[in-house]
Amino acid sequence: MLKLILTFFLLPLPLAAQTLPPAPTLPPLQQAGPLGADLFIRSGSTGMVLVVVRGKEVFIQGYGETAIGSGKLPDAKSILRLCSLSKIFATDLLIKLVHDGTLHLDDSLQQFAPHGVHVPTWPGHPITLKDLATHTSGLPREVGHAPPGDPHFTFPGFNYRWHWLPTQRLKSEPGTQALYSNVGFDFLGDALQQAAGKPYATLFAERTTTPLGMTETGFTPNPNQCSRLLQGAHDEGPCTDTQNSVASAGVYSTATDMALWLQYLLGTGTVAQDPAAQAVYINPDDLVRQSGLDHPGAPSGIGLGWMHLFPANDPSAITEKTGGGAGFLTYIALNQTTHTGIFVAATDGSIETHINLFKNANNVLLTLTGFPTIPIPPPPLPTKPHPKTKRKSSTRKRTTH
């Protein structure tokens, strides 16, 4: 496999809307290049793109190949599946509609259900939009396996999931347990478009991608964009319309657009995200249990799609979101103390290295912000699949994180 590195781009950022505090002495941002190279090599990925935003600087670098044997490096315009990073776009829209007065976090899902559909409840506690956004709704992770041959992130559709919902019994009282739920975010997206009175994709374009100039972020890639989609070591099905999972997993994007998104999240561009979108809404210690939220580390706080690592008053605190599926692992991690954020998208390789990409990416962020890194136990030795064993296709599984 070709293991080359794309020449990095250091791009000027627009002036911030407000003056930022003086930054501490930090390592040169170019150090992200070798840090990313080490992350890529140990991951065993076919191809990887790394984006770092720090203050008014942007760093973009690609590693490996766009597909095995292509000899072409991923770059700033390669098309990427964001997978579950789609969820933090949905909660950004949620906060915008809350501040518009269009809806409220404690509104029940029942208020936005199709006519005649009964949303299951727990005695005295209906599912609220906050429950959906914090994975505490009591709904399962998935509706079920997608039918064989269905492209990634196209199941379940609107009619299917709303027909399925009334037949369900909640796994727990809403607000008491955090159980990662993709279908919960599907319903959140349905509620947002119902409240706004327009399709989610239209709302997404009007309130997010158009104002931020994210010209290649959406759900309906054209043939030119599909030709630029990174491919991993296994056939993950077609590049296609993913509007059935707009709020949970369906967003496509590029490194260029994700740099703009990081600027927005960090408040270093011309438009800054409302801090309420990244706030802590639940203390994990107040829950009976949590499951599926700790791939990058045990969360110290649960937000609207976001997880928080380390105490809030710790300068090295990280706000993060994981994603995975369709041959990709994706990750965003932010350190607001230094106005630094990273985005990583990596495609699967032919060898499983068992590296925890998320924890190792956290250490890339901590190194670039001048904070101590976190020791990570070494992964098991890499293993090659048996030559007669064909890897199962993940087309039945929407997203892994």
Side-chain angles (χ1 to χ4, degrees), residues 266 278-280 293 296-303 305-322 331-338 340-343 357-369 371-374 376:
L266 294 165
Q278 292 179 40
V280 172
L293 309 180
S300 59
I302 297 173
W306 293 97
M307 299 298 141
H308 295 255
L309 304 179
F310 317 138
N313 61 353
D314 186 334
S316 66
I318 293 173
T319 306
E320 52 85 2
K321 180 69 191 85
T322 62
Y331 190 53
I332 278 182
L334 311 172
N335 175 255
Q336 294 290 5
T337 303
T338 59
T340 305
I342 67 170
F343 163 74
L357 185 78
F358 309 131
K359 290 183 177 180
N360 282 272
N362 285 340
N363 278 344
V364 172
L365 175 63
L366 291 170
T367 298
L368 293 174
T369 53
F371 295 113
T373 58
I374 308 300
I376 302 172

Side-chain angles (χ1 to χ4, degrees), residues 43-238:
S43 73
S45 171
T46 297
M48 188 181 90
V49 175
L50 172 67
V51 180
V52 183
V53 168
R54 192 173 69 187
K56 296 180 175 65
E57 295 179 291
V58 170
F59 178 96
I60 299 175
Q61 190 159 321
Y63 306 83
E65 297 181 283
T66 57
I68 289 180
S70 71
K72 184 179 180 181
L73 291 163
D75 60 25
K77 291 296 185 180
S78 295
I79 298 295
L80 315 165
R81 296 183 189 267
L82 297 190
C83 308
S84 282
L85 300 193
S86 305
K87 293 178 173 66
I88 54 175
F89 286 93
T91 55
D92 178 66
L93 288 174
L94 171 62
I95 287 298
K96 287 171 179 171
L97 295 181
V98 166
H99 284 193
D100 286 351
T102 303
L103 46 68
H104 303 88
L105 289 178
D106 59 359
D107 284 346
S108 70
L109 178 59
Q110 184 67 63
Q111 295 173 236
F112 308 99
H115 179 72
V117 173
H118 173 71
V119 177
T121 63
W122 197 275
H125 195 157
I127 297 172
T128 68
L129 301 186
K130 177 187 171 185
D131 296 329
L132 295 171
T134 56
H135 297 287
T136 58
S137 66
L139 292 172
R141 184 183 182 93
E142 307 284 0
V143 165
H145 288 310
D150 274 24
H152 282 291
F153 310 140
T154 61
F155 174 85
F158 179 92
N159 291 334
Y160 187 100
R161 59 180 172 255
W162 282 101
H163 179 76
W164 165 90
L165 183 59
T167 69
Q168 300 305 298
R169 181 177 179 179
L170 299 184
K171 290 180 173 292
S172 58
E173 179 181 358
T176 64
Q177 298 188 39
L179 308 173
Y180 196 94
S181 176
N182 290 309
V183 70
F185 268 79
D186 289 331
F187 288 120
L188 177 62
D190 294 340
L192 296 180
Q193 68 176 5
Q194 175 66 18
K198 61 186 65 176
Y200 184 100
T202 302
L203 178 67
F204 183 66
E206 290 179 352
R207 302 298 298 268
T208 303
T209 58
T210 299
L212 295 180
M214 300 172 68
T215 59
E216 294 206 280
T217 300
F219 315 99
T220 54
N222 58 42
N224 174 271
Q225 290 171 317
C226 285
S227 72
R228 291 183 274 132
L229 178 67
L230 292 192
Q231 302 292 326
H234 307 94
D235 180 9
E236 296 291 350

